[in-house]
Amino acid sequence: MGNHNSSSETSLEVPGVHDVPVKRSWYRSVFFQATVVGLCAFLAPGLYNAMQSTGAGGQQTPYLVMAANAVLGCMMVLTCSLGSVVANKIGLKNALIFGTTGYCVYAASLYTSNRYGNQWFVYLGSTACGITAGVFWAAEGAIMISYPEDSKRGRYLAYWLAYRNGGSIVGGIINLAFNYSGKKTGSLDWRTYIVFVALQCIAPFVALLLSIPVKVQRRDGQLVKSAKKIRTIEEIKEIIKILCRTDFLLVVPFFFYATFLLSYAGSYLSLYFSVRSRALASLVSALAQITANIFFGSFLDWKRLSLNQRAKISCIGLMVLFGGTWIWGTVIQHEYGLDKPALDWVDSGFGRGWGLYIMLQVNFALSYNYGYWLAGYMAKGPAEIVRLTSTVRAVEAAGGAVAAGISSTHAPLIAALGVNFGLWGLAVIPTYFVARTIGLDDGTTTCDTTGKERPKSGDEISD
């Protein structure tokens, strides 16, 4: 990149075009794009997560909401699978806008259920949310993998997820403000949902601020490579190719597991803890998730270790943490299954069980961050980024749908915990097989003897 500095503006060169200065605009920067996507994640899935993190959407019992969430997950399997097809037709920006529209409908359905006992609208809201959220998941993941520079991807993923978790923080404050006097089990105050509906209606307007890939200005002067538009039938054929790839099949158990634990965690919290303890959990779990992802994202970008070393060490560390949490959970769940407590924060023994819920949420956040970091290096070009994120999110949605279906029944929670524990065991070895190849032969980056990353054979994924 040439040096074209002036007192009035910062400029950059168009790659491949010499001496053509382009004015750098703050609203075209990667940071601004990440902020837009982050704010959308804050307002849409972030506030959705805030409702879910109170346990079953804040309802008195988990069964209706879990059944509706199973419907939501099934719809997301379909729309996530076709996410790259939609993005190919309408572009990532329009896909992001459309994807934000269904969340407020879902929140409104919980409001009517909480206040008026209306059940059919919950299923309708879940369907609407599933259709749009699947597209949103595919679009936001593709944007946050493809827009930043390779060397900053881990930190930008953490930054994006901080906004998503920030929605849970604000939601947790709202939850606690309206429900601080709820010392018994039950449902949240109906006024809580009105605030959520109002905030989620803003999300589509925020998404309008996103720049399309060709207009994004990176600090290194590289343009964001966008996939060429192709016929729908050709796009579907390319998706099928990804579904048959060995590395994709190996990470399927991990992505299926990643969201599976959320339904168990929600049922666990709603059945065993007071309303205000659940509201507090939604706040504290979000703070814990943000803190964990900041440190984890920094490690993923740490240049003292090679890319391959970071991939393997992160995989091993996460899997040990997850396994330890499920051992802890087995002990607690066995005890609670016998005693069926209704714990408030003033009760003896509250911290042991409540802390387990916080750790489950942290595990989810870390697996989310690592999963998308891993997917970014598995992709072999800009078009594959959208396809790969769409397909792995479809797998996540499938896991969430199955988990919600299990939790919608009156089956003992120890059974749901056992399924989660088993899925973790199935994911450990295949995920490591993929992690150990990152940075070696996938054509992305390697490290020189100083630990500094450089493009491999000139074939850099310039997201």
Side-chain angles (χ1 to χ4, degrees), residues 40-122:
C40 290
F42 171 94
L43 292 166
L47 293 180
Y48 168 89
N49 289 343
M51 289 184 286
Q52 296 300 315
S53 63
T54 59
Q59 304 298 298
Q60 184 168 356
T61 59
Y63 308 113
L64 170 64
V65 171
M66 290 303 174
N69 284 353
V71 174
L72 188 154
C74 289
M75 298 304 301
M76 288 186 69
V77 172
L78 176 62
T79 54
C80 281
S81 300
L82 299 175
S84 66
V85 176
V86 175
N88 181 60
K89 283 293 184 183
I90 66 176
L92 285 175
K93 178 177 179 178
N94 290 330
L96 188 73
I97 295 169
F98 172 74
T100 61
T101 57
Y103 285 93
C104 59
V105 181
Y106 178 80
S109 73
L110 292 185
Y111 162 74
T112 61
S113 174
N114 183 289
R115 191 172 185 187
Y116 304 113
N118 191 327
Q119 295 189 7
W120 67 267
F121 191 26
V122 176

Side-chain angles (χ1 to χ4, degrees), residues 403-450:
I406 293 173
S407 295
S408 68
T409 69
H410 290 263
L413 285 188
I414 192 69
L417 183 145
V419 174
N420 275 281
F421 208 161
L423 286 174
W424 164 81
L426 289 174
V428 173
I429 295 177
T431 306
Y432 181 75
F433 281 164
V434 175
R436 70 178 184 172
T437 67
I438 299 300
L440 293 181
D441 57 2
D442 60 356
T444 54
T445 58
T446 187
C447 296
D448 59 26
T449 55
T450 66

Side-chain angles (χ1 to χ4, degrees), residues 378-397:
M378 289 170 59
K380 296 179 173 64
E384 277 203 7
I385 288 177
V386 184
R387 295 177 192 131
L388 197 58
T389 53
S390 296
T391 50
V392 297
R393 300 214 79 155
V395 174
E396 284 184 351

Side-chain angles (χ1 to χ4, degrees), residues 224-299:
V224 175
K225 291 183 180 178
S226 56
K228 294 180 180 179
K229 290 190 175 183
I230 60 177
R231 292 187 304 157
T232 299
I233 187 65
E234 295 299 325
E235 182 67 29
I236 293 174
K237 289 180 180 178
E238 293 298 324
I239 294 173
I240 294 173
K241 289 180 182 178
I242 288 179
L243 295 175
C244 297
R245 273 173 46 179
T246 301
D247 58 349
F248 172 78
L249 294 174
L250 286 172
V251 296
V252 163
F254 177 82
F255 282 98
F256 191 85
Y257 163 82
T259 55
F260 203 92
L261 65 86
L262 292 178
S263 291
Y264 165 74
S267 296
Y268 170 85
L269 190 67
S270 66
L271 291 175
Y272 298 137
F273 294 90
S274 68
V275 170
R276 66 179 185 177
S277 295
R278 291 160 60 184
L280 180 64
S282 69
L283 173 59
V284 175
S285 62
L287 291 169
Q289 287 175 324
I290 289 175
T291 303
N293 265 330
I294 288 173
F295 286 105
F296 187 55
S298 297
F299 176 78

Side-chain angles (χ1 to χ4, degrees), residues 325-335 356 414 417 421:
T325 302
W326 288 121
I327 293 172
W328 176 14
T330 301
V331 174
I332 297 295
Q333 182 58 65
H334 175 70
E335 177 186 328
L356 171 63
I414 192 69
L417 183 145
F421 208 161

